[in-house]
Each structure stands twice: as C-alpha cells, then as structure tokens.
Amino acid sequence: MPVSGNILVDRKKIMELVDQLRLTIPEEIRSAEDVLSQKDQILNTAANDARRTKSLAEDELRDRLNSNELVIQAEARAAETVRDAEERITRMLQQSEAEALSRRTEADAYALRSLRSMESELGKLAVSVRKGIEVLAEQMAKGVDSRKYTEEEEAVAGMLR
C-alpha cells in the first residue's frame, strides 16, 4: 500500500529468512561465547607474558647495575692503587733525598777531618823541615862539613826521609 506506509511482503520468503536467522543466531552466539571464554584465556596469557617480560627486564636491569657497580668498584680500586703508588714514590724520593743529604754531610765531615789531620801532619813536617834548614844553615855558617851530628840532628834527618 503505497499511501499507508505499510509494505506487502511475501510470507513464505519472510519465514525462510526468520528460519535462517534462528539457525544463524545460535551459531553467532556460540561463536561469541567461544570468543568470550577465550578472552579470559588470552588475557591470562597476556598477563603472564607481561609478568615474565617485566621479570626479565628487572633481572637484566639488576645485572647491568651489578656490572656497573663492579666497574665503579674496579675504577675506585685502580684510583686507590695509583694514589698508594704515588704516595710510596713520594716517600721513597723523600727518603732518598734525606739519605743523600746525610751521606753528603758525612762525606764533608770525613773530608774536613782528613784535611785537618793532613794539616796537622804538614805542620809537623814543616817544623821538621824548618829545623833541618836551620841546622844546615848553622853548619854552613860555622863552616863545619865533616862534623859529627848529634842525636837530635839525626832524629830530625830521619823524619825527613
């Protein structure tokens, strides 16, 4: 009916469509129920995967932090070893310089003692030489060449030899 807004439909055709709908809807509902039941399983699997991934990431982070800490500890030990070595070198240099100064002082003291001893010996020799010169000068002044020497003169001559 064109004016009334009603439509004429073939009843047989409609019944076939309704039957098809009745047959199809339960399958769709079953399919939807299967998807819903799988949804929980999929969500559980996804949650488990997320937990596993998170745990692996945390383990890797811990490993990297531990590795980083080892590097930091190794660098700290190396720096400490270098400082210790530098301190030992400084102490050794100071000790060597002190020892060198001590030896130099000892050598100077020994040289001074030796020079003073030589000065004393040279003084004694100079006295002996002077006495010898005086004796010879007296003899020449007296003109006595063949004269016998006194014991004192022989002692002085013995010191000159």
Side-chain angles (χ1 to χ4, degrees):
M1 307 249 192
V3 179
S4 72
N6 290 335
I7 303 173
L8 291 175
V9 181
D10 185 13
R11 183 179 174 100
K12 192 176 188 184
K13 206 119 171 85
I14 291 274
M15 290 312 258
E16 279 179 27
L17 285 174
V18 170
D19 285 340
Q20 280 181 351
L21 280 174
R22 281 187 194 149
L23 291 175
T24 317
I25 288 178
E27 282 181 35
E28 294 294 323
I29 290 175
R30 275 189 232 114
S31 179
E33 287 174 351
D34 287 345
V35 168
L36 285 176
S37 69
Q38 288 178 354
K39 173 192 93 164
D40 291 337
Q41 183 181 1
I42 290 170
L43 287 175
N44 287 336
T45 302
N48 288 337
D49 286 347
R51 279 192 289 273
R52 193 174 324 112
T53 302
K54 181 182 176 186
S55 176
L56 289 173
E58 288 172 348
D59 290 345
E60 184 177 341
L61 176 64
R62 257 191 251 87
D63 288 345
R64 286 186 180 182
L65 287 175
N66 289 339
S67 174
N68 192 30
E69 288 176 20
L70 290 175
V71 168
I72 290 170
Q73 288 174 354
E75 288 173 347
R77 284 185 198 149
E80 184 178 336
T81 301
V82 168
R83 275 193 310 273
D84 289 346
E86 288 173 347
E87 288 174 5
R88 277 197 311 254
I89 288 170
T90 302
R91 281 194 308 270
M92 290 172 71
L93 284 173
Q94 289 171 347
Q95 186 178 6
S96 295
E97 288 172 356
E99 193 173 316
L101 180 63
S102 173
R103 287 186 181 193
R104 197 174 313 124
T105 302
E106 289 174 8
D108 289 347
Y110 173 76
L112 183 61
R113 284 192 307 271
S114 297
L115 289 172
R116 285 186 177 156
S117 175
M118 289 171 69
E119 181 185 34
S120 174
E121 291 296 319
L122 285 173
K124 289 177 187 175
L125 281 173
V127 169
S128 296
V129 168
R130 223 173 271 299
K131 282 186 182 179
I133 291 172
E134 290 172 3
V135 168
L136 286 175
E138 280 179 27
Q139 286 178 1
M140 287 183 73
K142 290 183 185 176
V144 180
D145 281 0
S146 59
R147 182 183 135 205
K148 288 197 168 190
Y149 296 106
T150 63
E151 284 182 25
E152 185 180 312
E153 292 171 335
E154 286 181 11
V156 170
M159 287 171 69
L160 291 176
R161 289 185 199 153

